[in-house]
Amino acid sequence: MKPGNARRAALAVLFCLSLASVIPAAAQDLPAAPPAPPLDLTAEDTPNDRGHAIALSWVLSPDDDGSGRVTGYSVWRAVYRPGVAPADLDWTRVGSHSAGYLGDERLTHSDVSDDIVNNLPYLYRVEADGPGGASAVLLPASIMARAQWFNRARWNMLLAVLVLSAGIMYWIQKAQTSDIYLRPVAGLKAFDEAIGRATEMGNPVLFVPGIMDMDQIETLAGVSILGYVGKMTARYETPLEVPVSRSLVMAHAREVVKESYLQAGRPDLYNDDMIHYLTDDQFGYAAAVDGIMLRQKPAACFYQGKFYAESLILAETGNSIGAIQIAGTASPAQLPFFITACDYTLIGEEFFAASAYLSQEKRAIGSIRGQDVGKLIFMVALILGVFLVSLEAVGVRLPGWLDITALFDVSSGG
Amino acid sequence: MLLKRWIPLFILVFVGVLTLIHWFVPHDPIGSLGRDFSQFFDIIASFAIILGAANLLKLQSLKISQRKKGWPFNLVTIIAFALTAWVGLNWHSYFGSGHHYLAGTHVNNPDSHFFWVWWYIFTPLSATMYALLAFYVASASYRAFRARNVEATVLLVAGIIIMIGRVPLGQQFTAWLPDHGFWSGFRLERISDWIYSYPNGAGQRAVMIGIALGVVSTSLRLILGIEKSFLGEE
Amino acid sequence: MDLFEKISSLDRRWIFLVIALSIFIPLMLPFTQPLSVSPDVRAVYEALAALPEGSTVLCSFEYGPSTLPEVHPMARSVLRYLFQRQHKVIVMALWPDGLFMSRDILDEVAEGEYQAEYGVDYINLGYKAGNEVVIKSIAESFSRTYPVDTRGQSTTSWPIMHGIENLANIDFIISLSAGYPGTVEWVQYAADPYNKPMTTCCTAVQVTEVVPYVRSGQCAGILGGLAGAAEFEVLLMDEGWLTELGAGNRGMASQSVAHLVLVLLIILGNVAFYIERRRQRKF
């Protein structure tokens, strides 16, 4: 044992004795003595965080056997001051745990608080509390909380982001000098047909940009598509109706549609009331949009954004009025409803690609190719991963660097 | 141009990059900035409700003043809006006497008028709208669930097995099969669980991975300033 | 128009009527059928049963009045089990509506059935705006995220919150979810990064979305919709934690008949479609 550790251990014993010495008078009147203290208290700086956190762990008191001698544990913290006896430190109770954990397992406690100053040494003690009093175990050495500059548990995610981003950026660059083929997406081709039909019938086009706010990327993608639809309705002089369920979406969609009408050379056709707010409430909104559909009988309905259970209510009402319906969403649970009730549905990634596809901007199309390459990488990695895990499952010993389960342990915080 | 293009783009790129970095760098100030940005959004969105409410009232009033078709319903909307706002904002609005609630906690107290409006008006209205799904699911399934080709037939059979296998009456069809052993795997509830777990689980994962890649690609386009259509540009 | 054409393009109002009757009649004349418990429901029970008595469980209410008939029966059964096992229950809401849902169910179960003491056995922290940011925030501190509870009192003043600084001090998370923010956010921002065990009670529509997280082990089992509630009630009854079946099983008669009627309608539609198609080929 190093001299420093020996001194700390001796201090710990002294401290426990001093703590126990305050109890005897009362103990004589109590049927039970203080329980045995917990054992082997350890502490470490919580890894991969902004500091201000210490992870503690200890072995349960031997008396914590369900007999009631231990009712719980209290965790105490104090700033460590060299040369000051632990008993004289300014202790603060920072946590408690209930008893009842039988067996010899360790109990853990995470002390996270802005009161913990980074890079300042702290001491901890854990008390086993019972009807007979309390007995404590002291941390043998002080501990400091530190902030980390990199979350090592997320290295695999960083790698994936870098590879994907590099791939997408490469193809964005490459797209400027070469032509990239995009497979035809039926739903996107149908945009013109739907708006053309509305024009022929003289009925409005209804556009629903989902029910979520601007912090959802689906809403951004939906509003981008609205820009394209706005240009078309401006060109064809077809009325456009955009009921929204979020105020910020309303403000933003107005700017986008106004710009579209300007670019189409028809700013005179634009007015702010085309895009109007209804309510934030999901089903209140669905009811109001249903009402608009039944009263105005739009010939084309676009549902592009983030949707929940209102998806089918909207799409079935649209179906009942005989409108051409084109949906696009990245909400997996709503896709089946839209596919069933709408004429065309942009599924997940098609929906995100729509704005690039419709604009035909070269760099945007390049990003879609990059995305596809990313998908290929994922597919290869999945097949390889399944293969290696299957090998492990049948007992083949793999070298450490190929140990997939250790590399991508879900509990590691990735 | 500066106000409508460059400043929004700068904010987007700055916040976007920092939010990405904060996922990997826990150290302050980067670590806490990521969270703060999300809270900034919530604060802005909360205040923006005033914009929406004003727009709603303006349009409804316009329809009433112009006596457009169905204008009494617009009147109902305005009255409902005003009453709900009043009982929500006024924490002295309660049934009976002797109540003194803190502002904010009154919405959660059964004696308050707001609680009554919420529980006895809003709740049944919301439940009614959601309940419509049962009917719409039925009509949509009847119309669209047709064995037009092989894929549609597989979908149809899987759908029917899940519909039957998830309810006790349906489970009775194969209740005669043993509980354990090889043949138990043919009980409808087991097949239904299997479909949920494997073909559906695999499909969901594929869709989720595709969506995640789409999100990465769209985010990159936004951060790099390639995607400007959300600003109303090509 | 002959019979098959009529069946093939049946007015949807007839379908609405048939479905309404198939739900309404069994509600009025209920019957019970033995129900088999699925492995995912059993997994939820086993995860909860593995908790030592007196554990601290966080229940997050993320549903509103629209999905009340689906999620409330699950919430009721789960809370009954938690109070019987004398766990400490911390309730919060990520949806504004969730506040009212939690209040209703706590009044009924905690105060009505178990006479649990507020602030000692359970606490209702209420709703906080911010969606997943709230989850990230309680991962650092409950008291900073929720300085006061639904009664307007300081959260730290209640005995149940002593020693509960943040998510690290929570033993188990239960997400009662009907959408966003909900189970998926709890997995992504709490269960996975902090290695916390959790489970979900969600609407039937959400099940397909949550299944991948259940298969990956990030979410222990799943109670899905009214059927999930009914199965969990059966399991709790078999294990001796319940004396009678609840709303989940009462709704099963309606759901059973409605499912079967829908299947019959789909088959009928397909038969008509098939005959019509054969005729068209002949011509």
Side-chain angles (χ1 to χ4, degrees):
Chain A
M1 191 185 272
K2 288 180 186 171
N5 286 351
R7 197 173 67 237
R8 284 180 194 134
L11 277 175
V13 172
L14 275 175
F15 176 70
C16 291
L17 289 173
S18 68
L19 189 84
S21 69
V22 298
I23 300 163
Q28 286 171 358
D29 305 326
L30 288 168
L39 307 166
D40 189 27
L41 175 62
T42 61
E44 61 174 13
D45 171 38
T46 309
N48 305 316
D49 68 349
R50 57 185 277 269
H52 310 289
I54 302 286
L56 299 161
S57 152
W58 64 90
V59 174
L60 304 184
S61 160
D63 289 337
D64 188 1
D65 52 5
S67 63
R69 276 179 294 175
V70 175
T71 51
Y73 297 89
S74 322
V75 181
W76 297 74
R77 180 182 66 219
V79 176
Y80 172 70
R81 280 183 287 158
V84 179
D88 297 332
L89 293 176
D90 189 12
W91 290 94
T92 314
R93 192 168 183 263
V94 292
S96 63
H97 274 272
S98 46
Y101 290 79
L102 304 180
D104 59 355
E105 63 179 298
R106 296 183 74 90
L107 203 54
T108 57
H109 178 86
S110 188
D111 184 21
V112 186
S113 168
D114 278 347
D115 296 342
I116 301 175
V117 180
N118 285 348
N119 304 316
L120 187 70
Y122 287 92
L123 271 185
Y124 281 88
R125 75 170 204 255
V126 173
E127 284 178 3
D129 303 316
S135 56
V137 59
L138 185 75
L139 191 67
S142 63
I143 178 83
M144 282 193 274
R146 288 194 169 92
Q148 278 78 41
W149 281 104
F150 180 64
N151 186 342
R152 289 180 182 207
R154 291 181 178 155
W155 72 266
N156 49 7
M157 199 184 279
L158 180 66
L159 185 72
V161 167
L162 289 177
V163 169
L164 272 176
S165 305
I168 291 171
M169 284 160 84
Y170 169 79
W171 280 102
I172 287 173
Q173 280 300 317
K174 192 155 166 80
Q176 294 182 53
T177 52
S178 57
D179 283 333
I180 290 174
Y181 169 76
L182 283 185
R183 74 177 163 86
V185 177
L188 291 171
K189 284 182 166 276
F191 270 56
D192 292 359
E193 178 199 336
I195 298 168
R197 183 162 172 253
T199 309
E200 280 168 18
M201 293 173 70
N203 286 0
V205 169
L206 179 82
F207 192 100
V208 180
I211 62 158
M212 299 309 281
D213 220 324
M214 292 307 297
D215 59 338
Q216 299 290 319
I217 199 149
E218 287 98 319
T219 312
L220 272 174
V223 173
S224 292
I225 296 170
L226 171 63
Y228 177 81
V229 172
K231 245 174 253 167
M232 299 282 293
T233 53
R235 244 173 248 154
Y236 294 154
E237 299 177 19
T238 309
L240 175 65
E241 175 81 21
V242 188
V244 299
S245 79
R246 305 282 163 161
S247 306
L248 283 183
V249 178
M250 177 185 79
H252 188 73
R254 281 181 173 174
E255 287 301 311
V256 170
V257 175
K258 193 194 281 182
E259 189 69 29
S260 297
Y261 273 67
L262 197 66
Q263 284 180 15
R266 297 308 306 266
D268 53 308
L269 290 178
Y270 173 80
N271 81 72
D272 272 349
D273 294 341
M274 290 155 79
I275 298 118
H276 57 97
Y277 172 82
L278 292 171
T279 166
D280 271 39
D281 180 65
Q282 180 186 16
F283 291 108
Y285 178 73
V289 175
D290 275 4
I292 290 171
M293 285 186 197
L294 294 173
R295 282 191 300 273
Q296 302 191 10
K297 301 270 189 299
C301 297
F302 293 88
Y303 313 107
Q304 308 285 332
K306 182 118 180 151
F307 291 90
Y308 290 94
E310 72 291 340
S311 63
L312 188 66
I313 296 176
L314 299 177
E316 269 298 282
T317 308
N319 186 282
S320 74
I321 57 167
I324 288 193
Q325 304 199 93
I326 304 175
T329 188
S331 314
Q334 306 310 320
L335 283 171
F337 294 139
F338 275 141
I339 291 168
T340 309
C342 293
D343 299 282
Y344 302 96
T345 305
L346 304 174
I347 299 170
E349 54 196 305
E350 289 177 348
F351 166 61
F352 288 118
S355 137
Y357 197 105
L358 293 168
S359 72
Q360 287 296 312
E361 211 262 318
K362 282 195 162 188
R363 290 183 303 167
I365 291 173
S367 73
I368 297 175
R369 170 60 71 90
Q371 182 184 327
D372 273 357
V373 172
K375 206 196 291 180
L376 185 70
I377 295 171
F378 263 86
M379 282 154 72
V380 172
L382 273 175
I383 293 169
L384 204 66
V386 169
F387 178 68
L388 290 175
V389 170
S390 305
L391 280 184
E392 275 186 330
V394 294
V396 177
R397 281 178 65 87
L398 297 169
W401 62 275
L402 271 181
D403 188 354
I404 290 290
T405 44
L407 278 175
F408 295 99
D409 183 2
V410 287
S411 64
S412 67
Chain B
M1 199 64 170
L2 181 75
L3 274 177
K4 290 204 164 184
R5 181 172 181 183
W6 295 115
I7 291 179
L9 259 183
F10 171 74
I11 295 173
L12 174 91
V13 172
F14 179 72
V15 176
V17 170
L18 214 69
T19 310
L20 180 66
I21 292 175
H22 114 277
W23 188 249
F24 302 105
V25 180
H27 206 293
D28 282 338
I30 295 168
S32 49
L33 264 181
R35 194 187 59 210
D36 291 346
F37 283 143
S38 308
Q39 285 176 346
F40 291 168
F41 176 83
D42 289 332
I43 294 166
I44 294 169
S46 304
F47 279 102
I49 192 75
I50 297 166
L51 270 180
N55 175 252
L56 179 79
L57 292 177
K58 181 193 138 193
L59 284 186
Q60 304 295 322
S61 309
L62 212 62
K63 283 177 186 167
I64 296 168
S65 65
Q66 293 170 352
R67 292 287 190 276
K68 285 203 171 173
K69 193 184 167 193
W71 67 268
F73 295 113
N74 301 113
L75 193 63
V76 171
T77 307
I78 290 183
I79 293 170
F81 180 94
L83 279 179
T84 313
W86 171 248
V87 295
L89 294 171
N90 176 14
W91 62 93
H92 299 296
S93 168
Y94 49 80
F95 294 104
S97 57
H99 302 283
H100 295 287
Y101 303 128
L102 289 171
T105 57
H106 70 294
V107 298
N108 186 33
N109 199 299
D111 296 328
S112 71
H113 287 148
F114 182 84
F115 192 90
W116 187 89
V117 168
W118 196 90
W119 198 249
Y120 295 104
I121 297 180
F122 178 72
T123 299
L125 287 175
S126 290
T128 304
M129 282 305 289
Y130 186 67
L132 284 181
L133 272 181
F135 300 99
Y136 286 161
V137 163
S139 65
S141 318
Y142 181 78
R143 193 180 62 245
F145 259 17
R146 296 280 154 92
R148 293 175 209 279
N149 49 39
V150 178
E151 292 93 332
T153 312
V154 172
L155 185 73
L156 178 70
V157 172
I160 288 177
I161 290 174
I162 285 184
M163 271 192 275
I164 300 177
R166 290 289 289 164
V167 291
L169 203 59
Q171 290 169 4
Q172 296 311 304
F173 288 118
T174 50
W176 50 274
L177 284 168
D179 252 345
H180 301 283
F182 176 76
W183 291 107
S184 68
F186 291 90
R187 289 173 72 123
L188 278 170
E189 63 270 26
R190 300 275 168 87
I191 304 176
S192 155
D193 282 338
W194 183 85
I195 293 171
Y196 256 121
S197 297
Y198 299 101
N200 164 67
Q204 285 289 333
R205 280 185 180 144
V207 171
M208 281 160 76
I209 290 171
I211 289 169
L213 287 168
V215 170
V216 172
S217 169
T218 308
S219 306
L220 266 178
R221 285 205 299 270
L222 290 168
I223 289 174
L224 295 173
I226 294 169
E227 172 89 54
K228 292 196 285 277
S229 50
F230 75 102
L231 294 172
E233 297 177 32
E234 283 278 1
Chain C
M1 192 185 271
D2 73 2
L3 181 67
F4 293 113
E5 279 174 32
K6 272 186 187 167
I7 291 173
S8 200
S9 53
L10 191 65
D11 187 327
R12 64 182 191 154
R13 282 170 296 187
W14 286 111
I15 299 169
F16 292 168
L17 181 67
V18 173
I19 290 293
L21 289 175
S22 66
I23 292 170
F24 185 71
I25 294 171
L27 269 183
M28 296 295 106
L29 307 165
F31 59 88
T32 51
Q33 289 282 324
L35 182 63
S36 125
V37 178
S38 66
D40 283 333
V41 172
R42 201 170 286 282
V44 173
Y45 177 77
E46 282 166 5
L48 289 173
L51 289 174
E53 268 189 19
S55 299
T56 306
V57 179
L58 179 70
C59 292
S60 180
F61 281 69
E62 299 124 19
Y63 65 98
S66 53
T67 43
L68 178 148
E70 230 182 328
V71 190
H72 237 38
M74 291 186 268
R76 197 177 284 122
S77 300
V78 164
L79 281 174
R80 278 178 180 154
Y81 178 75
L82 294 180
F83 284 118
Q84 285 204 54
R85 294 281 318 276
Q86 289 167 3
H87 292 315
K88 292 180 172 62
V89 181
I90 297 174
V91 170
M92 57 178 277
L94 291 181
W95 288 25
D97 307 3
L99 169 67
F100 299 95
M101 298 292 105
S102 62
R103 156 117 210 183
D104 185 56
I105 209 86
L106 285 172
D107 279 354
E108 180 189 336
V109 178
E111 289 180 16
E113 294 177 14
Y114 294 95
Q115 287 83 44
E117 193 180 341
Y118 186 85
V120 177
D121 302 314
Y122 75 100
I123 189 169
N124 194 350
L125 301 178
Y127 164 70
K128 195 83 185 171
N131 305 331
E132 57 267 35
V133 178
V134 177
I135 304 177
K136 286 186 196 174
S137 186
I138 60 163
E140 288 177 18
S141 170
F142 271 109
S143 56
R144 270 211 313 272
T145 316
Y146 289 99
V148 292
D149 66 349
T150 49
R151 298 189 176 188
Q153 292 197 33
S154 165
T155 312
T156 49
S157 68
W158 297 104
I160 188 174
M161 294 308 285
H162 292 166
I164 306 294
E165 178 64 30
N166 53 41
L167 206 56
N169 309 122
I170 298 292
D171 298 308
F172 200 84
I173 301 164
I174 300 173
S175 159
L176 301 143
S177 160
Y180 169 84
T183 302
V184 173
E185 283 67 35
W186 277 105
V187 173
Q188 289 175 349
Y189 296 100
D192 190 51
Y194 298 98
N195 200 15
K196 282 280 146 198
M198 72 164 283
T199 193
T200 175
C201 309
C202 62
T203 53
V205 172
Q206 271 192 294
V207 171
T208 51
E209 203 173 337
V210 177
V211 155
Y213 299 104
V214 177
R215 292 291 152 262
S216 65
Q218 289 157 297
C219 181
I222 184 169
L223 297 188
L226 206 60
E231 290 177 30
F232 195 63
E233 285 169 4
V234 168
L235 194 54
L236 288 186
M237 191 128 153
D238 288 349
E239 300 289 337
W241 297 105
L242 279 187
T243 48
E244 59 176 342
L245 297 172
N249 276 272
R250 281 198 296 277
M252 270 298 98
S254 278
Q255 192 158 330
S256 283
V257 176
H259 276 211
L260 292 184
V261 166
L262 188 52
V263 167
L264 287 176
L265 280 172
I266 291 172
I267 292 171
L268 187 70
N270 271 282
V271 170
F273 169 74
Y274 179 73
I275 293 173
E276 233 186 307
R277 198 162 68 167
R278 273 191 62 178
R279 276 191 201 161
Q280 281 168 1
R281 274 187 194 156
K282 277 182 189 168
F283 296 120

